[in-house]
mmCIF file of all heavy atoms in Angstrom:
data_model
loop_
_atom_site.group_PDB
_atom_site.id
_atom_site.type_symbol
_atom_site.label_atom_id
_atom_site.label_comp_id
_atom_site.label_asym_id
_atom_site.label_seq_id
_atom_site.Cartn_x
_atom_site.Cartn_y
_atom_site.Cartn_z
ATOM 1 N N THR A 1 0.831 -1.205 0.000
ATOM 2 C CA THR A 1 0.000 0.000 0.000
ATOM 3 C C THR A 1 0.864 1.252 0.000
ATOM 4 O O THR A 1 0.603 2.203 -0.750
ATOM 5 C CB THR A 1 -0.945 0.002 1.216
ATOM 6 O OG1 THR A 1 -1.790 -1.146 1.139
ATOM 7 C CG2 THR A 1 -1.796 1.259 1.248
ATOM 8 N N TYR A 2 1.891 1.258 0.840
ATOM 9 C CA TYR A 2 2.772 2.429 0.902
ATOM 10 C C TYR A 2 3.503 2.638 -0.417
ATOM 11 O O TYR A 2 3.560 3.751 -0.942
ATOM 12 C CB TYR A 2 3.758 2.297 2.068
ATOM 13 C CG TYR A 2 4.700 3.467 2.203
ATOM 14 C CD1 TYR A 2 4.241 4.784 2.092
ATOM 15 C CD2 TYR A 2 6.059 3.274 2.441
ATOM 16 C CE1 TYR A 2 5.106 5.859 2.214
ATOM 17 C CE2 TYR A 2 6.922 4.342 2.573
ATOM 18 C CZ TYR A 2 6.447 5.638 2.451
ATOM 19 O OH TYR A 2 7.304 6.697 2.569
ATOM 20 N N VAL A 3 4.039 1.583 -0.983
ATOM 21 C CA VAL A 3 4.752 1.705 -2.260
ATOM 22 C C VAL A 3 3.802 2.147 -3.368
ATOM 23 O O VAL A 3 4.160 2.969 -4.220
ATOM 24 C CB VAL A 3 5.462 0.390 -2.617
ATOM 25 C CG1 VAL A 3 6.030 0.443 -4.037
ATOM 26 C CG2 VAL A 3 6.594 0.106 -1.613
ATOM 27 N N ALA A 4 2.554 1.668 -3.342
ATOM 28 C CA ALA A 4 1.567 2.063 -4.354
ATOM 29 C C ALA A 4 1.249 3.548 -4.296
ATOM 30 O O ALA A 4 0.807 4.135 -5.291
ATOM 31 C CB ALA A 4 0.294 1.248 -4.197
ATOM 32 N N SER A 5 1.516 4.196 -3.160
ATOM 33 C CA SER A 5 1.285 5.647 -3.052
ATOM 34 C C SER A 5 2.247 6.434 -3.943
ATOM 35 O O SER A 5 1.999 7.594 -4.263
ATOM 36 C CB SER A 5 1.457 6.108 -1.600
ATOM 37 O OG SER A 5 2.836 6.159 -1.235
ATOM 38 N N GLY A 6 3.360 5.796 -4.321
ATOM 39 C CA GLY A 6 4.362 6.455 -5.152
ATOM 40 C C GLY A 6 5.426 7.201 -4.378
ATOM 41 O O GLY A 6 6.501 7.486 -4.901
ATOM 42 N N GLU A 7 5.150 7.518 -3.123
ATOM 43 C CA GLU A 7 6.103 8.310 -2.340
ATOM 44 C C GLU A 7 7.480 7.656 -2.209
ATOM 45 O O GLU A 7 8.508 8.339 -2.383
ATOM 46 C CB GLU A 7 5.530 8.616 -0.956
ATOM 47 C CG GLU A 7 6.449 9.483 -0.113
ATOM 48 C CD GLU A 7 5.871 9.765 1.260
ATOM 49 O OE1 GLU A 7 6.053 8.925 2.164
ATOM 50 O OE2 GLU A 7 5.252 10.830 1.428
ATOM 51 N N PRO A 8 7.556 6.356 -1.908
ATOM 52 C CA PRO A 8 8.873 5.749 -1.718
ATOM 53 C C PRO A 8 9.788 5.831 -2.939
ATOM 54 O O PRO A 8 11.008 5.762 -2.799
ATOM 55 C CB PRO A 8 8.547 4.289 -1.383
ATOM 56 C CG PRO A 8 7.178 4.321 -0.836
ATOM 57 C CD PRO A 8 6.476 5.404 -1.609
ATOM 58 N N LEU A 9 9.216 5.990 -4.127
ATOM 59 C CA LEU A 9 10.026 6.041 -5.345
ATOM 60 C C LEU A 9 10.728 7.390 -5.519
ATOM 61 O O LEU A 9 11.648 7.515 -6.327
ATOM 62 C CB LEU A 9 9.152 5.759 -6.571
ATOM 63 C CG LEU A 9 8.472 4.387 -6.574
ATOM 64 C CD1 LEU A 9 7.575 4.245 -7.790
ATOM 65 C CD2 LEU A 9 9.502 3.273 -6.531
ATOM 66 N N ALA A 10 10.297 8.388 -4.752
ATOM 67 C CA ALA A 10 10.824 9.744 -4.941
ATOM 68 C C ALA A 10 11.793 10.186 -3.859
ATOM 69 O O ALA A 10 12.285 11.315 -3.895
ATOM 70 C CB ALA A 10 9.658 10.734 -5.002
ATOM 71 N N VAL A 11 12.084 9.287 -2.901
ATOM 72 C CA VAL A 11 12.895 9.713 -1.757
ATOM 73 C C VAL A 11 13.986 8.696 -1.412
ATOM 74 O O VAL A 11 13.831 7.506 -1.625
ATOM 75 C CB VAL A 11 12.002 9.959 -0.514
ATOM 76 C CG1 VAL A 11 11.130 11.191 -0.715
ATOM 77 C CG2 VAL A 11 11.133 8.752 -0.199
ATOM 78 N N ALA A 12 15.071 9.216 -0.864
ATOM 79 C CA ALA A 12 16.184 8.366 -0.437
ATOM 80 C C ALA A 12 15.729 7.412 0.651
ATOM 81 O O ALA A 12 15.002 7.798 1.566
ATOM 82 C CB ALA A 12 17.328 9.232 0.079
ATOM 83 N N GLY A 13 16.144 6.154 0.533
ATOM 84 C CA GLY A 13 15.773 5.159 1.518
ATOM 85 C C GLY A 13 14.364 4.647 1.373
ATOM 86 O O GLY A 13 13.917 3.818 2.154
ATOM 87 N N ALA A 14 13.622 5.153 0.401
ATOM 88 C CA ALA A 14 12.238 4.732 0.122
ATOM 89 C C ALA A 14 11.272 5.063 1.248
ATOM 90 O O ALA A 14 10.269 4.387 1.434
ATOM 91 C CB ALA A 14 12.179 3.236 -0.217
ATOM 92 N N PHE A 15 11.578 6.119 2.029
ATOM 93 C CA PHE A 15 10.662 6.496 3.108
ATOM 94 C C PHE A 15 10.768 7.988 3.407
ATOM 95 O O PHE A 15 11.762 8.632 3.085
ATOM 96 C CB PHE A 15 10.964 5.708 4.388
ATOM 97 C CG PHE A 15 12.150 6.227 5.157
ATOM 98 C CD1 PHE A 15 11.981 7.064 6.246
ATOM 99 C CD2 PHE A 15 13.447 5.891 4.783
ATOM 100 C CE1 PHE A 15 13.076 7.548 6.955
ATOM 101 C CE2 PHE A 15 14.548 6.371 5.471
ATOM 102 C CZ PHE A 15 14.352 7.202 6.570
ATOM 103 N N THR A 16 9.718 8.503 4.030
ATOM 104 C CA THR A 16 9.746 9.848 4.600
ATOM 105 C C THR A 16 9.389 9.710 6.073
ATOM 106 O O THR A 16 8.762 8.740 6.496
ATOM 107 C CB THR A 16 8.711 10.785 3.943
ATOM 108 O OG1 THR A 16 7.405 10.258 4.190
ATOM 109 C CG2 THR A 16 8.955 10.927 2.451
ATOM 110 N N VAL A 17 9.770 10.709 6.843
ATOM 111 C CA VAL A 17 9.363 10.760 8.244
ATOM 112 C C VAL A 17 8.305 11.830 8.436
ATOM 113 O O VAL A 17 7.573 11.827 9.422
ATOM 114 C CB VAL A 17 10.573 11.003 9.164
ATOM 115 C CG1 VAL A 17 11.138 12.405 8.998
ATOM 116 C CG2 VAL A 17 10.237 10.727 10.614
ATOM 117 N N ASP A 18 8.195 12.744 7.476
ATOM 118 C CA ASP A 18 7.319 13.906 7.612
ATOM 119 C C ASP A 18 6.085 13.830 6.720
ATOM 120 O O ASP A 18 5.383 14.819 6.545
ATOM 121 C CB ASP A 18 8.105 15.176 7.298
ATOM 122 C CG ASP A 18 8.681 15.176 5.895
ATOM 123 O OD1 ASP A 18 8.878 14.078 5.330
ATOM 124 O OD2 ASP A 18 8.945 16.269 5.359
ATOM 125 N N SER A 19 5.807 12.667 6.157
ATOM 126 C CA SER A 19 4.670 12.540 5.247
ATOM 127 C C SER A 19 4.072 11.136 5.397
ATOM 128 O O SER A 19 3.953 10.627 6.501
ATOM 129 C CB SER A 19 5.137 12.817 3.807
ATOM 130 O OG SER A 19 4.046 12.951 2.941
ATOM 131 N N LEU A 20 3.732 10.497 4.288
ATOM 132 C CA LEU A 20 3.051 9.198 4.331
ATOM 133 C C LEU A 20 3.849 8.105 5.040
ATOM 134 O O LEU A 20 3.281 7.199 5.640
ATOM 135 C CB LEU A 20 2.720 8.732 2.906
ATOM 136 C CG LEU A 20 1.813 9.656 2.081
ATOM 137 C CD1 LEU A 20 1.641 9.091 0.671
ATOM 138 C CD2 LEU A 20 0.471 9.855 2.753
ATOM 139 N N GLY A 21 5.162 8.198 4.974
ATOM 140 C CA GLY A 21 6.006 7.179 5.604
ATOM 141 C C GLY A 21 6.148 7.318 7.101
ATOM 142 O O GLY A 21 6.663 6.418 7.771
ATOM 143 N N GLY A 22 5.689 8.434 7.662
ATOM 144 C CA GLY A 22 5.820 8.657 9.098
ATOM 145 C C GLY A 22 5.164 7.591 9.959
ATOM 146 O O GLY A 22 5.593 7.339 11.094
ATOM 147 N N TRP A 23 4.152 6.925 9.422
ATOM 148 C CA TRP A 23 3.483 5.843 10.150
ATOM 149 C C TRP A 23 4.416 4.677 10.446
ATOM 150 O O TRP A 23 4.176 3.894 11.372
ATOM 151 C CB TRP A 23 2.311 5.296 9.317
ATOM 152 C CG TRP A 23 1.229 6.278 9.037
ATOM 153 C CD1 TRP A 23 1.087 7.038 7.907
ATOM 154 C CD2 TRP A 23 0.131 6.616 9.882
ATOM 155 N NE1 TRP A 23 -0.034 7.819 7.994
ATOM 156 C CE2 TRP A 23 -0.641 7.579 9.199
ATOM 157 C CE3 TRP A 23 -0.282 6.185 11.150
ATOM 158 C CZ2 TRP A 23 -1.799 8.121 9.743
ATOM 159 C CZ3 TRP A 23 -1.433 6.730 11.687
ATOM 160 C CH2 TRP A 23 -2.182 7.683 10.992
ATOM 161 N N PHE A 24 5.456 4.555 9.650
ATOM 162 C CA PHE A 24 6.297 3.356 9.703
ATOM 163 C C PHE A 24 7.688 3.625 10.278
ATOM 164 O O PHE A 24 8.562 2.769 10.204
ATOM 165 C CB PHE A 24 6.407 2.756 8.303
ATOM 166 C CG PHE A 24 5.061 2.666 7.611
ATOM 167 C CD1 PHE A 24 4.800 3.404 6.472
ATOM 168 C CD2 PHE A 24 4.050 1.873 8.138
ATOM 169 C CE1 PHE A 24 3.558 3.356 5.858
ATOM 170 C CE2 PHE A 24 2.802 1.806 7.531
ATOM 171 C CZ PHE A 24 2.550 2.551 6.381
ATOM 172 N N VAL A 25 7.895 4.802 10.843
ATOM 173 C CA VAL A 25 9.156 5.139 11.508
ATOM 174 C C VAL A 25 8.886 5.134 13.009
ATOM 175 O O VAL A 25 8.201 6.007 13.529
ATOM 176 C CB VAL A 25 9.683 6.517 11.051
ATOM 177 C CG1 VAL A 25 10.938 6.887 11.830
ATOM 178 C CG2 VAL A 25 9.972 6.506 9.555
ATOM 179 N N GLU A 26 9.387 4.126 13.689
ATOM 180 C CA GLU A 26 9.088 3.972 15.115
ATOM 181 C C GLU A 26 9.884 4.919 15.991
ATOM 182 O O GLU A 26 9.387 5.402 17.008
ATOM 183 C CB GLU A 26 9.341 2.528 15.550
ATOM 184 C CG GLU A 26 8.311 1.568 15.011
ATOM 185 C CD GLU A 26 8.427 0.184 15.618
ATOM 186 O OE1 GLU A 26 9.497 -0.152 16.187
ATOM 187 O OE2 GLU A 26 7.442 -0.567 15.515
ATOM 188 N N SER A 27 11.125 5.174 15.617
ATOM 189 C CA SER A 27 11.932 6.076 16.435
ATOM 190 C C SER A 27 13.099 6.619 15.622
ATOM 191 O O SER A 27 13.497 6.046 14.608
ATOM 192 C CB SER A 27 12.457 5.373 17.691
ATOM 193 O OG SER A 27 13.349 4.331 17.345
ATOM 194 N N ILE A 28 13.608 7.730 16.129
ATOM 195 C CA ILE A 28 14.765 8.388 15.517
ATOM 196 C C ILE A 28 15.735 8.732 16.639
ATOM 197 O O ILE A 28 15.321 9.228 17.690
ATOM 198 C CB ILE A 28 14.340 9.671 14.786
ATOM 199 C CG1 ILE A 28 13.529 9.324 13.543
ATOM 200 C CG2 ILE A 28 15.541 10.517 14.399
ATOM 201 C CD1 ILE A 28 12.947 10.530 12.860
ATOM 202 N N ARG A 29 16.995 8.458 16.394
ATOM 203 C CA ARG A 29 18.022 8.842 17.364
ATOM 204 C C ARG A 29 18.964 9.805 16.672
ATOM 205 O O ARG A 29 19.785 9.404 15.838
ATOM 206 C CB ARG A 29 18.771 7.600 17.845
ATOM 207 C CG ARG A 29 19.607 7.858 19.060
ATOM 208 C CD ARG A 29 20.000 6.540 19.681
ATOM 209 N NE ARG A 29 21.345 6.660 20.214
ATOM 210 C CZ ARG A 29 22.146 5.655 20.448
ATOM 211 N NH1 ARG A 29 21.766 4.438 20.158
ATOM 212 N NH2 ARG A 29 23.328 5.844 20.947
ATOM 213 N N GLY A 30 18.796 11.087 16.982
ATOM 214 C CA GLY A 30 19.575 12.131 16.325
ATOM 215 C C GLY A 30 18.660 13.221 15.819
ATOM 216 O O GLY A 30 17.525 13.373 16.278
#
């Protein structure tokens, strides 16, 4: 579902933390 949104194809690492991918980032250190 996330990949079908198209967002992962436009960003490094195939994820964002500030948009649709934020649901799937559990924590950040730094």
Side-chain angles (χ1 to χ4, degrees):
T1 300
Y2 180 44
V3 172
S5 75
E7 182 181 85
L9 299 177
V11 291
F15 78 98
T16 62
V17 69
D18 59 336
S19 191
L20 300 177
W23 297 96
F24 314 115
V25 176
E26 288 189 341
S27 65
I28 290 174
R29 194 165 144 202

